[in-house]
Amino acid sequence: QGKFTLLRDTRTDGSFLVHHFLSFYLRAGCKVCFVALLQSFSHYSIVAQKLGVNLTAAMERGQLVFLEGLKSCLDLWFGEEEEQSGEPSPLQFLRESTSDLKALFDLVRRSLTPAGGDTCQVPVLLVDDLSLLLSLGATPVAVLDFIHYCRVTVCSQLKGNVVVLVHSEQDSQDKENELVGNSLSHHSDLILWVEGLATGFCKDVHGQIKIIKRVSLELRGEQDRVQLYQYKIQDKNVTFFAPGLSAAVL
């Protein structure tokens, strides 16, 4: 059975984790469905090139299915979205009175279901970021249902992995977003929680990451394993180190 990984961030931007997983799975030869709601394709492509991955080539050989949420939203709002092969737009809920994400799930299922002669070993769903579905009008129940069906299909049936980013703010008044983030935390196999430093900006330490391995999901009576590291984002990689052991301190 595959794994469900939840990415969360507080007081900082955890997008570097999304770029890491995207390039990692593509280099590993996995079939990736990338629901990109936060940035344009050119943005992800430029970062991927720095990490040694060509997104355009991956799309041409059928390894990557890329949903550019920004473009799809504009096309729907201005009436330029055309149905392809008789299928509705993945973000069709923007035109409907109900926040039904079935069309988006259908895209994920079609993209990752193995076809004849498919040599990719592990299907992967990557979402950046889930919070934007709430901003576009989807209800928390619809978003959680969407992720539930994706987990069942990708992780359980197809033995693949799901990686989802959810933004989180300390003392946030957005109760719907916090509800979705906390609910997904209870069902995740692995949580990577990126936080900005409480002391503010530092040029040598950009933040800290808490790695939570949900052992409690598998073994009763066992506590989750938590590891804490600090990190510094560089041009082509990220350096991790134990708290207080940055190069500036040593």
Side-chain angles (χ1 to χ4, degrees):
Q1 181 169 325
K3 300 295 184 181
F4 178 79
T5 302
L6 177 63
L7 313 178
R8 301 192 69 175
D9 57 20
T10 305
R11 301 191 307 271
T12 190
D13 184 8
S15 297
F16 70 92
L17 291 175
V18 175
H19 297 297
H20 159 74
F21 278 104
L22 177 61
S23 59
F24 170 79
Y25 282 123
L26 289 177
R27 283 198 299 266
C30 301
K31 179 67 175 291
V32 179
C33 177
F34 187 15
V35 180
L37 303 173
L38 187 62
Q39 300 285 354
S40 64
F41 174 79
S42 59
H43 170 82
Y44 294 105
S45 180
I46 291 173
V47 178
Q49 285 182 345
K50 291 183 178 181
L51 300 177
V53 176
N54 190 322
L55 296 190
T56 302
M59 292 177 63
E60 290 176 350
R61 62 176 177 265
Q63 185 185 2
L64 172 65
V65 177
F66 189 95
L67 172 62
E68 189 170 2
L70 294 176
K71 183 178 183 300
S72 296
C73 288
L74 290 176
D75 290 343
L76 275 170
W77 285 331
F78 292 101
E80 298 178 0
E81 180 78 10
E82 296 182 358
E83 295 185 0
Q84 298 179 357
S85 303
E87 299 291 342
S89 166
L91 301 180
Q92 189 66 28
F93 74 95
L94 293 173
R95 284 182 173 177
E96 300 173 351
S97 57
T98 59
S99 57
D100 185 1
L101 299 177
K102 183 178 183 301
L104 183 58
F105 168 72
D106 288 339
L107 170 69
V108 174
R109 182 169 49 85
R110 291 195 310 270
S111 302
L112 297 180
T113 299
D118 194 348
T119 59
C120 295
Q121 299 298 318
V122 180
V124 176
L125 169 63
L126 182 60
V127 182
D128 181 25
D129 76 82
L130 199 66
S131 305
L132 283 180
L133 289 177
L134 296 172
S135 301
L136 292 173
T139 64
V141 173
V143 173
L144 291 174
D145 284 346
F146 165 70
I147 293 298
H148 170 72
Y149 283 108
C150 288
R151 287 179 58 224
V152 171
T153 302
V154 180
C155 297
S156 298
Q157 297 179 0
L158 302 178
K159 312 302 181 185
N161 299 317
V162 176
V163 181
V164 173
L165 173 66
V166 176
H167 286 297
S168 178
E169 294 295 337
Q170 196 172 30
D171 301 325
S172 173
Q173 300 300 318
D174 190 349
K175 295 182 179 180
E176 291 188 345
N177 187 65
E178 290 303 305
L179 172 63
V180 170
N182 293 334
S183 297
L184 295 179
S185 296
H186 291 294
H187 300 283
S188 303
D189 298 290
L190 176 67
I191 303 173
L192 304 180
W193 199 320
V194 181
E195 298 175 306
L197 297 177
T199 54
F201 173 77
C202 176
K203 67 176 182 178
D204 296 305
V205 182
H206 292 161
Q208 66 180 19
I209 179 170
K210 184 186 300 181
I211 304 174
I212 306 174
K213 296 181 180 180
R214 302 296 313 285
V215 182
S216 58
L217 291 179
E218 303 174 358
L219 302 175
R220 294 184 178 180
E222 293 286 338
Q223 294 185 345
D224 295 336
R225 299 172 184 171
V226 181
Q227 296 174 296
L228 185 64
Y229 297 93
Q230 292 180 336
Y231 67 88
K232 179 180 180 181
I233 301 176
Q234 299 172 330
D235 188 38
K236 294 184 179 181
N237 56 32
V238 182
T239 302
F240 295 92
F241 41 84
L245 297 182
S246 67
V249 175
L250 299 177

